[in-house]
Amino acid sequence: MATPDDLTDLVDSPSETLAVEYKASLDLSDGLSKAKFARHAAALANYGGGYLVFGFNDDMTSADRTEFPTIERDAVAGIVKSYLDPAFQCEVRTVSTRHGVRHTIVVVPSHGAVPICAKRDGPQDEKGRPQGILAGKYYIRKPGPASEPIVAPHEWTPLLRRCVLADRAAILAAISVALQGGDSEDAIEPRLRGWHEALAKRYRELLLPAALVNGYAEFSFGIHHHGTAIEHRELMRVVEQCNAKADAITKLHWGPFAVFHHDPPRFRTAADLDDGELEFLEAIVSESRSNTNVREMWRVSCGGLASLVKPWWEDDPRFDSGTPKTALSPIYLAKDIVNCVIFARAFANCFDTATAVTFRCEWIGLEGRRPFDRFGRWFSSGHASADDRKVSSSAITLADLNGSWEKASASLAGPAARAVGLDHVLTAEWFANQVANWKVQP
């Protein structure tokens, strides 16, 4: 999945490569334009993913028009579904150059275990010949760059190799399940719940009673996999790498599972987890050296369990919300969710046989909170929460996480968003559009 910086580079320094196709425009009312779009999308997907960038002439200068609001996710999905098999979901982004010029970009995902094939011809010319795309053809990216059908045996090699790699995790997981005589994924949810509750209990023990009045939020996940765990000596490095991937999107300085080397995370065990035999990396992030001032805690295991618990930052005087326990910032809620989802996706991709991730998110202290942030954009939206606690739990395939973190984020944010009347606002499209506005916070 591209980061905002990746997309900005595409419009600030335009350069056509095999992974990027630049176009001046796309007329969704024209059949030939849609057929050509489908051909490029098929070729980019079969290349392993890429981008269609609109608003550039052939010489890489800006076209007269650069932004195309009519190119929406549903419109693109309709073209893909009409022309290609198997169908896939593209993302549509609007990205600004350093000079403020807005361009529309379609992010095309990689194919999966099956290559993308054209299933229908494009519109016919005056002689009855199909234009734009031909049914039954497998398009790939070729030097030029160009989107053309496979015509030589050797052109199949990289495409088939990627298909095999995409199917590898599912095959290994199926074999492992067969050998074990059962579906071990069924055990993830209760195991994750015990892990989640154990950290919440420890967090409450470390906080002063007065600090618990306003509540807290906890974000946990467990990875479905049937292979070996990450080695203990590698876990810290992996955590930092996953933090970097999350921070590239949310821009919160250091990622969700913060690592401060002056007070580094340590391997620990706990009596209420696997009879005290499960080792995990734990960090206590505090504002002083006293545990009574703990602000956040997190735990990560080599086997794929992770949990982060934190206070309501909306109650911090620096947030300017006024009275504590009165505000819920949709932006903070979104960033917390996205941090967890992107970190989990990156962590899951470190396991060769990972197939899915189960999430558990919990908010304590919701009652009386209403949408608010320091910019005042939510004064007329939503309502105060009547419930004090909400829980979100969902198992999401790794393929879906790699394809669209926005959809997963919107789903997980649902219970908290509905509590304050914003479920109609915090959609997958809203999450995608927010990314461009997220800047490094002071």
Side-chain angles (χ1 to χ4, degrees):
M1 177 66 68
T3 68
D5 288 340
D6 294 333
L7 298 181
T8 301
D9 287 343
L10 294 178
V11 296
D12 275 340
S13 303
S15 176
E16 255 185 342
T17 67
L18 291 181
V20 187
E21 180 73 24
Y22 287 86
K23 291 295 179 185
S25 63
L26 174 63
D27 182 2
L28 291 176
S29 66
D30 178 65
L32 179 56
S33 292
K34 291 193 287 187
K36 290 180 177 179
F37 176 92
R39 185 183 79 240
H40 290 307
L44 289 167
N46 283 335
Y47 180 72
Y51 312 92
L52 278 159
V53 184
F54 293 95
F56 284 94
N57 299 314
D58 290 341
D59 60 358
M60 293 297 107
T61 59
S62 290
D64 293 336
R65 185 182 178 190
T66 62
E67 185 180 0
F68 298 85
T70 57
I71 305 178
E72 299 176 340
R73 182 187 295 190
D74 289 345
V76 171
I79 297 173
V80 171
K81 184 177 180 180
S82 176
Y83 279 98
L84 306 177
D85 185 53
F88 51 88
Q89 183 69 55
C90 296
E91 297 298 322
V92 180
R93 305 287 179 84
T94 300
V95 180
S96 298
T97 69
R98 64 173 68 93
H99 303 297
V101 180
R102 292 166 63 85
H103 288 266
T104 299
I105 299 179
V106 177
V107 182
V108 181
S110 174
H111 63 87
V114 178
I116 308 301
C117 180
K119 68 178 183 180
R120 60 174 284 199
D121 291 333
Q124 296 180 346
D125 62 13
E126 65 277 2
K127 295 183 179 180
R129 296 172 299 189
Q131 303 178 86
I133 192 170
L134 296 175
K137 297 294 184 179
Y138 290 86
Y139 290 89
I140 58 173
R141 297 288 285 171
K142 296 184 181 182
S147 300
E148 299 177 352
I150 292 177
V151 295
H154 73 273
E155 292 176 337
W156 281 102
T157 302
L159 176 57
L160 293 178
R161 182 180 296 116
R162 283 192 299 272
C163 288
V164 171
L165 291 174
D167 204 34
R168 177 173 177 262
I171 293 173
L172 290 174
I175 293 173
S176 179
V177 167
L179 291 175
Q180 292 173 15
D183 187 358
S184 62
E185 291 188 357
D186 290 342
I188 288 288
E189 200 283 331
R191 180 169 171 79
L192 176 63
R193 183 167 184 162
W195 166 273
H196 177 96
E197 292 175 351
L199 181 57
K201 177 183 176 182
R202 180 60 176 157
Y203 185 72
R204 292 191 297 266
E205 290 173 351
L206 292 177
L207 277 178
L208 289 172
L212 291 170
V213 172
N214 297 340
Y216 57 87
E218 185 173 5
F219 307 92
S220 305
F221 66 84
I223 297 170
H224 300 238
H225 70 97
H226 302 276
T228 57
I230 294 173
E231 294 186 13
H232 288 81
R233 65 173 179 271
E234 293 292 319
L235 187 57
M236 179 80 83
R237 178 185 62 81
V238 170
V239 168
E240 291 184 298
Q241 287 179 346
C242 296
N243 271 332
K245 292 182 183 296
D247 189 56
I249 291 180
T250 58
K251 294 179 169 53
L252 288 172
H253 294 297
W254 43 67
F257 293 77
V259 174
F260 299 113
H261 292 281
H262 65 274
D263 188 14
R266 292 172 172 79
F267 278 103
R268 290 191 61 249
T269 59
D272 53 355
L273 289 171
D274 290 0
D275 296 324
E277 296 180 5
L278 175 63
E279 277 193 291
F280 50 82
L281 202 58
E282 180 183 271
I284 298 175
V285 183
S286 60
E287 293 188 343
S288 75
R289 296 184 181 276
S290 169
N291 281 345
T292 58
N293 290 317
V294 63
R295 299 294 292 175
E296 298 181 13
M297 283 187 68
W298 60 257
R299 288 174 175 174
V300 178
S301 78
C302 293
L305 293 169
S307 190
L308 164 69
V309 61
K310 59 191 304 182
W312 288 90
W313 286 112
E314 290 89 331
D315 296 339
D316 191 295
R318 290 167 291 185
F319 183 73
D320 297 330
S321 63
T323 307
K325 206 176 179 182
T326 59
L328 182 149
S329 165
I331 303 301
Y332 281 16
L333 171 65
K335 286 193 174 187
D336 281 342
I337 291 285
V338 173
N339 254 334
C340 179
V341 168
I342 300 299
F343 186 98
R345 183 182 71 180
F347 198 40
N349 281 320
C350 295
F351 292 81
D352 289 339
T353 60
T355 57
V357 180
T358 289
F359 292 89
R360 183 176 180 82
C361 306
E362 183 175 15
W363 296 269
I364 303 292
L366 273 170
E367 186 176 6
R369 294 183 185 273
R370 63 174 61 249
F372 177 90
D373 68 28
R374 67 182 69 181
F375 305 108
R377 288 175 288 186
W378 306 95
F379 282 130
S380 60
S381 301
H383 53 70
S385 173
D387 298 317
D388 200 58
R389 174 179 177 266
K390 287 290 184 180
V391 176
S392 176
S393 181
S394 180
I396 302 172
T397 67
L398 185 54
D400 285 343
L401 280 178
N402 284 327
S404 175
W405 59 261
E406 299 94 334
K407 184 176 180 180
S409 299
S411 174
L412 291 169
R418 285 189 289 274
V420 294
L422 289 183
D423 54 307
H424 66 291
V425 176
L426 272 61
T427 63
E429 291 75 18
W430 181 86
F431 273 90
N433 292 331
Q434 284 298 305
V435 170
N437 300 321
W438 287 350
K439 306 297 182 183
V440 175
Q441 294 187 346

Coordinates of all heavy atoms in Angstrom, one line a residue, residues 334-405:
A334 N -9.6 8.0 14.6 CA -9.1 7.4 13.4 C -7.7 7.1 13.4 O -7.3 6.0 12.9 CB -9.4 8.4 12.2
K335 N -6.8 8.0 13.9 CA -5.4 7.7 14.0 C -5.1 6.5 14.8 O -4.2 5.7 14.5 CB -4.6 9.0 14.4 CG -4.6 10.0 13.3 CD -3.6 11.1 13.7 CE -3.4 12.1 12.6 NZ -2.3 13.1 12.8
D336 N -5.8 6.4 16.0 CA -5.5 5.2 16.8 C -5.8 3.9 16.1 O -5.1 3.0 16.2 CB -6.4 5.3 18.1 CG -5.8 6.3 19.1 OD1 -4.6 6.6 19.0 OD2 -6.6 6.7 20.0
I337 N -7.0 3.9 15.4 CA -7.4 2.7 14.7 C -6.4 2.4 13.6 O -6.0 1.3 13.4 CB -8.8 2.9 14.1 CG1 -9.8 2.9 15.3 CG2 -9.1 1.8 13.1 CD1 -10.1 1.6 15.9
V338 N -6.1 3.4 12.8 CA -5.2 3.2 11.6 C -3.8 2.8 12.1 O -3.2 1.9 11.5 CB -5.1 4.5 10.8 CG1 -4.0 4.4 9.7 CG2 -6.5 4.8 10.2
N339 N -3.3 3.4 13.2 CA -2.0 3.0 13.8 C -2.0 1.5 14.0 O -1.1 0.7 13.7 CB -1.8 3.7 15.1 CG -0.7 4.8 14.9 OD1 0.1 4.7 14.1 ND2 -0.8 5.8 15.8
C340 N -3.1 1.0 14.7 CA -3.2 -0.4 15.0 C -3.3 -1.3 13.7 O -2.6 -2.3 13.6 CB -4.4 -0.7 15.9 SG -4.7 -2.4 16.4
V341 N -4.1 -0.9 12.8 CA -4.3 -1.7 11.6 C -3.1 -1.8 10.7 O -2.7 -2.8 10.3 CB -5.5 -1.1 10.7 CG1 -5.5 -1.7 9.4 CG2 -6.8 -1.3 11.5
I342 N -2.4 -0.6 10.5 CA -1.2 -0.6 9.7 C 0.0 -1.4 10.4 O 0.7 -2.2 9.7 CB -0.7 0.8 9.4 CG1 -1.8 1.5 8.6 CG2 0.6 0.8 8.6 CD1 -2.2 0.9 7.3
F343 N 0.1 -1.2 11.7 CA 1.1 -2.0 12.4 C 0.8 -3.5 12.3 O 1.7 -4.3 12.1 CB 1.1 -1.6 13.9 CG 2.2 -2.2 14.7 CD1 3.4 -1.5 14.9 CD2 2.1 -3.5 15.2 CE1 4.4 -2.1 15.7 CE2 3.1 -4.1 15.9 CZ 4.3 -3.4 16.2
A344 N -0.5 -3.9 12.5 CA -0.8 -5.3 12.5 C -0.6 -5.9 11.1 O -0.1 -7.0 10.9 CB -2.3 -5.4 12.9
R345 N -0.9 -5.1 10.1 CA -0.7 -5.6 8.7 C 0.8 -5.8 8.4 O 1.2 -6.8 7.9 CB -1.2 -4.6 7.7 CG -1.1 -5.0 6.2 CD -1.6 -4.0 5.3 NE -0.7 -2.8 5.2 CZ -0.9 -1.8 4.5 NH1 -2.0 -1.7 3.7 NH2 -0.1 -0.7 4.4
A346 N 1.6 -4.9 8.8 CA 3.1 -5.0 8.6 C 3.6 -6.2 9.5 O 4.5 -6.9 9.0 CB 3.8 -3.7 9.1
F347 N 3.1 -6.3 10.7 CA 3.6 -7.4 11.5 C 3.2 -8.8 10.9 O 4.0 -9.7 10.9 CB 3.0 -7.2 12.9 CG 3.7 -8.0 14.0 CD1 5.0 -8.1 14.1 CD2 2.9 -8.6 15.0 CE1 5.7 -8.8 15.1 CE2 3.6 -9.3 16.1 CZ 4.9 -9.4 16.1
A348 N 1.9 -8.9 10.5 CA 1.5 -10.1 9.9 C 2.3 -10.5 8.6 O 2.5 -11.7 8.4 CB 0.0 -10.0 9.5
N349 N 2.7 -9.5 7.9 CA 3.5 -9.8 6.7 C 4.9 -10.3 7.0 O 5.6 -10.7 6.1 CB 3.6 -8.5 5.8 CG 2.3 -8.3 5.0 OD1 1.7 -9.3 4.5 ND2 1.9 -7.1 4.9
C350 N 5.3 -10.2 8.3 CA 6.6 -10.8 8.7 C 6.5 -12.3 8.9 O 7.5 -13.0 9.1 CB 7.0 -10.1 10.0 SG 7.4 -8.4 9.8
F351 N 5.2 -12.9 8.9 CA 5.0 -14.3 9.1 C 4.8 -14.9 7.8 O 3.8 -14.5 7.1 CB 3.9 -14.6 10.1 CG 4.1 -14.1 11.5 CD1 4.0 -12.8 11.9 CD2 4.5 -15.1 12.4 CE1 4.2 -12.4 13.2 CE2 4.7 -14.7 13.8 CZ 4.6 -13.4 14.1
D352 N 5.6 -15.9 7.4 CA 5.4 -16.5 6.1 C 4.1 -17.2 5.8 O 3.6 -17.2 4.7 CB 6.5 -17.6 5.9 CG 7.9 -17.0 5.7 OD1 8.0 -15.8 5.3 OD2 8.9 -17.7 5.9
T353 N 3.4 -17.7 6.9 CA 2.2 -18.4 6.7 C 1.0 -17.6 7.2 O -0.1 -18.2 7.4 CB 2.2 -19.8 7.4 OG1 2.5 -19.6 8.8 CG2 3.3 -20.6 6.8
A354 N 1.1 -16.4 7.5 CA 0.0 -15.6 8.0 C -1.2 -15.5 7.0 O -1.0 -15.4 5.8 CB 0.4 -14.2 8.3
T355 N -2.4 -15.7 7.5 CA -3.6 -15.7 6.6 C -4.6 -14.6 7.0 O -5.4 -14.2 6.2 CB -4.3 -17.1 6.6 OG1 -4.6 -17.4 8.0 CG2 -3.4 -18.2 6.1
A356 N -4.6 -14.2 8.3 CA -5.6 -13.3 8.7 C -5.1 -12.6 10.0 O -4.2 -13.1 10.7 CB -7.0 -13.9 8.9
V357 N -5.9 -11.6 10.5 CA -5.6 -10.9 11.7 C -6.9 -10.7 12.4 O -7.9 -10.2 11.8 CB -4.9 -9.6 11.5 CG1 -4.7 -8.9 12.9 CG2 -3.6 -9.7 10.8
T358 N -7.0 -11.1 13.7 CA -8.2 -10.8 14.5 C -7.9 -9.6 15.4 O -6.9 -9.6 16.1 CB -8.6 -12.0 15.4 OG1 -9.1 -13.1 14.5 CG2 -9.7 -11.6 16.4
F359 N -8.8 -8.6 15.3 CA -8.6 -7.4 16.1 C -9.6 -7.4 17.3 O -10.7 -7.9 17.2 CB -8.9 -6.2 15.2 CG -7.8 -5.9 14.2 CD1 -8.0 -6.5 12.9 CD2 -6.7 -5.2 14.4 CE1 -7.0 -6.3 11.9 CE2 -5.8 -4.9 13.4 CZ -5.9 -5.5 12.2
R360 N -9.2 -6.7 18.3 CA -10.2 -6.4 19.5 C -9.8 -5.0 19.9 O -8.7 -4.7 20.4 CB -10.0 -7.4 20.6 CG -11.0 -7.2 21.7 CD -10.9 -8.2 22.8 NE -11.9 -8.0 23.9 CZ -13.1 -8.3 23.9 NH1 -13.6 -8.9 22.8 NH2 -13.9 -8.1 24.9
C361 N -10.8 -4.1 19.8 CA -10.7 -2.7 20.2 C -11.7 -2.4 21.3 O -12.9 -2.8 21.2 CB -10.8 -1.8 19.1 SG -9.8 -2.1 17.6
E362 N -11.3 -1.7 22.4 CA -12.2 -1.4 23.5 C -12.0 0.0 23.9 O -10.9 0.5 24.1 CB -12.0 -2.4 24.6 CG -12.9 -2.3 25.8 CD -12.7 -3.3 26.9 OE1 -11.6 -4.0 26.8 OE2 -13.6 -3.5 27.7
W363 N -13.2 0.7 24.2 CA -13.2 2.0 24.7 C -13.9 2.0 26.0 O -15.1 1.6 26.1 CB -13.8 3.0 23.7 CG -13.1 3.1 22.4 CD1 -12.1 4.0 22.1 CD2 -13.3 2.3 21.2 NE1 -11.7 3.8 20.8 CE2 -12.4 2.8 20.2 CE3 -14.1 1.2 20.9 CZ2 -12.3 2.2 19.0 CZ3 -14.0 0.6 19.6 CH2 -13.2 1.1 18.7
I364 N -13.3 2.5 27.1 CA -13.9 2.7 28.4 C -13.9 4.2 28.7 O -12.9 4.9 28.6 CB -13.0 1.9 29.5 CG1 -12.9 0.5 29.1 CG2 -13.6 2.1 30.8 CD1 -14.1 -0.3 29.2
G365 N -15.1 4.6 29.2 CA -15.2 6.1 29.5 C -15.8 6.9 28.4 O -15.5 8.1 28.3
L366 N -16.7 6.3 27.6 CA -17.3 7.0 26.5 C -18.5 7.8 26.9 O -18.8 8.8 26.3 CB -17.9 5.9 25.5 CG -16.9 5.5 24.4 CD1 -17.5 4.3 23.7 CD2 -16.6 6.6 23.4
E367 N -19.2 7.5 28.0 CA -20.4 8.1 28.4 C -20.2 9.7 28.5 O -19.3 10.1 29.2 CB -21.0 7.6 29.7 CG -22.3 8.1 30.1 CD -22.9 7.5 31.3 OE1 -22.2 6.7 31.9 OE2 -24.1 7.8 31.6
G368 N -21.1 10.4 27.9 CA -21.0 11.9 27.9 C -20.1 12.5 26.9 O -20.2 13.7 26.7
R369 N -19.3 11.7 26.2 CA -18.4 12.3 25.2 C -19.2 12.6 23.9 O -20.0 11.8 23.5 CB -17.3 11.4 24.9 CG -16.3 11.2 26.1 CD -15.1 10.3 25.8 NE -14.3 10.0 27.0 CZ -13.3 10.8 27.4 NH1 -13.0 11.9 26.7 NH2 -12.7 10.5 28.5
R370 N -18.8 13.7 23.3 CA -19.4 14.0 22.0 C -18.3 14.4 21.0 O -17.2 14.8 21.5 CB -20.5 15.1 22.1 CG -19.9 16.5 22.6 CD -21.0 17.6 22.6 NE -22.1 17.3 23.4 CZ -23.3 17.0 22.9 NH1 -23.5 16.9 21.6 NH2 -24.4 16.7 23.8
P371 N -18.6 14.4 19.7 CA -17.5 14.7 18.7 C -17.0 16.2 19.0 O -17.8 17.1 19.1 CB -18.3 14.6 17.4 CG -19.4 13.7 17.7 CD -19.8 13.9 19.1
F372 N -15.7 16.3 19.0 CA -15.0 17.6 19.2 C -13.6 17.4 18.9 O -13.0 16.4 19.1 CB -15.2 18.0 20.7 CG -14.5 19.3 21.0 CD1 -15.1 20.5 20.9 CD2 -13.1 19.3 21.4 CE1 -14.5 21.7 21.2 CE2 -12.5 20.5 21.7 CZ -13.2 21.7 21.6
D373 N -13.0 18.5 18.3 CA -11.6 18.6 18.2 C -11.2 20.1 18.2 O -12.1 21.0 18.2 CB -11.0 17.9 17.0 CG -11.3 18.5 15.7 OD1 -11.6 19.7 15.6 OD2 -11.3 17.7 14.7
R374 N -10.0 20.4 18.3 CA -9.5 21.8 18.5 C -9.8 22.7 17.3 O -9.8 23.9 17.5 CB -8.0 21.8 18.8 CG -7.1 21.4 17.7 CD -5.7 21.4 18.0 NE -5.4 20.3 19.0 CZ -4.1 20.1 19.5 NH1 -3.2 20.9 19.1 NH2 -3.9 19.1 20.3
F375 N -10.1 22.1 16.2 CA -10.4 22.9 15.0 C -11.9 23.2 14.9 O -12.3 23.9 14.0 CB -9.9 22.2 13.7 CG -8.4 21.9 13.8 CD1 -8.0 20.6 14.0 CD2 -7.5 22.9 13.8 CE1 -6.7 20.3 14.1 CE2 -6.1 22.6 13.9 CZ -5.7 21.3 14.0
G376 N -12.7 22.6 15.8 CA -14.1 22.9 15.8 C -15.0 22.3 14.6 O -16.0 22.8 14.3
R377 N -14.5 21.3 13.9 CA -15.2 20.8 12.7 C -16.4 20.0 13.0 O -17.1 19.6 12.1 CB -14.2 20.1 11.8 CG -13.2 21.0 11.1 CD -12.2 20.2 10.4 NE -11.3 19.5 11.3 CZ -10.2 18.8 10.8 NH1 -10.0 18.7 9.5 NH2 -9.4 18.2 11.7
W378 N -16.5 19.6 14.3 CA -17.6 18.6 14.6 C -18.7 19.1 15.5 O -19.5 18.4 16.0 CB -16.9 17.4 15.3 CG -15.8 16.8 14.5 CD1 -14.5 17.1 14.6 CD2 -15.9 15.9 13.4 NE1 -13.7 16.5 13.6 CE2 -14.6 15.7 12.9 CE3 -17.0 15.3 12.8 CZ2 -14.3 14.9 11.8 CZ3 -16.7 14.4 11.7 CH2 -15.4 14.2 11.2
F379 N -18.7 20.5 15.7 CA -19.7 21.0 16.6 C -21.1 20.7 16.2 O -22.0 20.5 17.1 CB -19.6 22.5 16.6 CG -18.4 23.0 17.5 CD1 -17.5 23.9 17.0 CD2 -18.2 22.5 18.8 CE1 -16.4 24.3 17.8 CE2 -17.2 22.9 19.6 CZ -16.3 23.9 19.1
S380 N -21.4 20.6 14.9 CA -22.8 20.4 14.5 C -23.1 18.9 14.1 O -24.1 18.6 13.6 CB -23.1 21.3 13.3 OG -22.2 20.9 12.2
S381 N -22.1 18.0 14.4 CA -22.3 16.6 14.0 C -22.4 15.8 15.3 O -21.8 16.0 16.3 CB -21.1 16.2 13.2 OG -21.0 16.9 12.0
G382 N -23.2 14.7 15.2 CA -23.2 13.7 16.2 C -23.9 14.1 17.4 O -24.7 15.1 17.5
H383 N -23.7 13.3 18.5 CA -24.3 13.5 19.8 C -23.5 12.9 20.9 O -22.5 12.2 20.6 CB -25.7 12.9 19.8 CG -25.8 11.4 19.4 ND1 -25.3 10.4 20.2 CD2 -26.2 10.9 18.3 CE1 -25.4 9.3 19.6 NE2 -26.0 9.5 18.4
A384 N -23.9 13.1 22.2 CA -23.1 12.6 23.3 C -23.4 11.1 23.4 O -24.5 10.6 23.2 CB -23.5 13.3 24.6
S385 N -22.4 10.3 23.8 CA -22.6 8.9 24.0 C -23.4 8.6 25.2 O -23.1 9.1 26.3 CB -21.2 8.2 24.0 OG -21.3 6.8 24.4
A386 N -24.3 7.7 25.1 CA -25.1 7.2 26.3 C -24.4 6.0 26.9 O -24.8 5.6 28.0 CB -26.5 6.9 25.9
D387 N -23.5 5.3 26.2 CA -22.9 4.1 26.7 C -21.5 4.5 27.1 O -20.8 5.3 26.6 CB -22.8 3.1 25.6 CG -24.2 2.6 25.1 OD1 -25.0 2.4 26.0 OD2 -24.4 2.5 23.9
D388 N -21.0 3.8 28.2 CA -19.7 4.0 28.7 C -18.6 3.1 28.1 O -17.4 3.5 28.1 CB -19.7 3.9 30.2 CG -18.5 4.6 30.9 OD1 -18.4 5.8 30.7 OD2 -17.7 3.9 31.5
R389 N -19.0 2.0 27.5 CA -18.1 1.0 27.0 C -18.5 0.5 25.7 O -19.7 0.2 25.5 CB -17.9 -0.1 28.0 CG -17.0 -1.3 27.5 CD -16.9 -2.4 28.6 NE -16.2 -3.5 28.1 CZ -16.7 -4.6 27.6 NH1 -18.0 -4.7 27.4 NH2 -16.0 -5.6 27.2
K390 N -17.6 0.4 24.7 CA -17.8 -0.2 23.4 C -16.7 -1.1 23.1 O -15.5 -0.8 23.4 CB -18.0 0.9 22.3 CG -19.3 1.7 22.4 CD -20.5 0.8 22.0 CE -21.8 1.6 22.0 NZ -22.9 0.8 21.6
V391 N -17.0 -2.2 22.4 CA -16.0 -3.2 22.0 C -16.2 -3.4 20.5 O -17.3 -3.6 20.0 CB -16.1 -4.5 22.7 CG1 -15.1 -5.5 22.2 CG2 -15.8 -4.2 24.2
S392 N -15.1 -3.5 19.8 CA -15.1 -3.9 18.4 C -14.2 -5.1 18.2 O -13.0 -5.1 18.6 CB -14.6 -2.7 17.5 OG -14.5 -3.1 16.1
S393 N -14.7 -6.1 17.5 CA -13.9 -7.3 17.3 C -14.2 -7.8 15.9 O -15.3 -7.9 15.5 CB -14.3 -8.4 18.3 OG -13.5 -9.6 18.1
S394 N -13.1 -8.2 15.2 CA -13.3 -8.6 13.8 C -12.0 -9.4 13.3 O -10.9 -9.0 13.6 CB -13.5 -7.4 12.9 OG -13.7 -7.8 11.5
A395 N -12.3 -10.4 12.5 CA -11.2 -11.2 11.9 C -11.1 -10.7 10.4 O -12.2 -10.8 9.7 CB -11.5 -12.7 12.0
I396 N -10.0 -10.3 10.0 CA -9.8 -9.7 8.6 C -8.7 -10.5 7.9 O -7.6 -10.6 8.5 CB -9.5 -8.2 8.7 CG1 -10.7 -7.5 9.5 CG2 -9.4 -7.6 7.3 CD1 -10.4 -6.0 9.7
T397 N -8.9 -10.9 6.7 CA -7.9 -11.7 6.0 C -6.7 -10.7 5.7 O -6.9 -9.5 5.5 CB -8.4 -12.3 4.7 OG1 -8.8 -11.2 3.8 CG2 -9.7 -13.1 4.9
L398 N -5.6 -11.3 5.6 CA -4.4 -10.5 5.3 C -4.5 -10.0 3.9 O -4.0 -8.8 3.6 CB -3.1 -11.4 5.4 CG -1.8 -10.7 5.3 CD1 -1.7 -9.5 6.2 CD2 -0.6 -11.6 5.5
A399 N -5.1 -10.7 3.0 CA -5.3 -10.2 1.6 C -6.1 -8.9 1.7 O -5.8 -7.9 1.0 CB -6.0 -11.2 0.8
D400 N -7.2 -8.9 2.5 CA -8.0 -7.7 2.6 C -7.3 -6.5 3.2 O -7.4 -5.4 2.8 CB -9.3 -8.0 3.4 CG -10.3 -8.8 2.6 OD1 -10.2 -8.8 1.3 OD2 -11.2 -9.4 3.2
L401 N -6.4 -6.8 4.3 CA -5.6 -5.8 4.9 C -4.6 -5.2 3.9 O -4.4 -4.0 3.9 CB -4.9 -6.4 6.1 CG -5.7 -6.5 7.4 CD1 -4.8 -7.2 8.5 CD2 -6.3 -5.2 7.9
N402 N -4.0 -6.1 3.1 CA -3.0 -5.6 2.2 C -3.7 -4.8 1.1 O -3.1 -3.9 0.4 CB -2.2 -6.7 1.6 CG -1.2 -7.3 2.5 OD1 -0.6 -6.5 3.3 ND2 -0.9 -8.5 2.5
G403 N -5.0 -5.1 0.8 CA -5.7 -4.4 -0.3 C -6.3 -3.1 0.1 O -6.3 -2.1 -0.6
S404 N -6.8 -3.0 1.4 CA -7.5 -1.8 1.8 C -7.6 -1.7 3.3 O -8.4 -2.2 4.0 CB -9.0 -1.8 1.2 OG -9.7 -0.6 1.7
W405 N -6.6 -0.9 3.9 CA -6.6 -0.7 5.3 C -7.8 0.2 5.7 O -8.2 0.2 6.8 CB -5.3 -0.2 5.8 CG -4.9 1.2 5.2 CD1 -4.0 1.4 4.2 CD2 -5.4 2.5 5.6 NE1 -3.9 2.7 3.9 CE2 -4.7 3.4 4.7 CE3 -6.2 2.9 6.5 CZ2 -4.9 4.8 4.8 CZ3 -6.5 4.3 6.6 CH2 -5.8 5.2 5.8

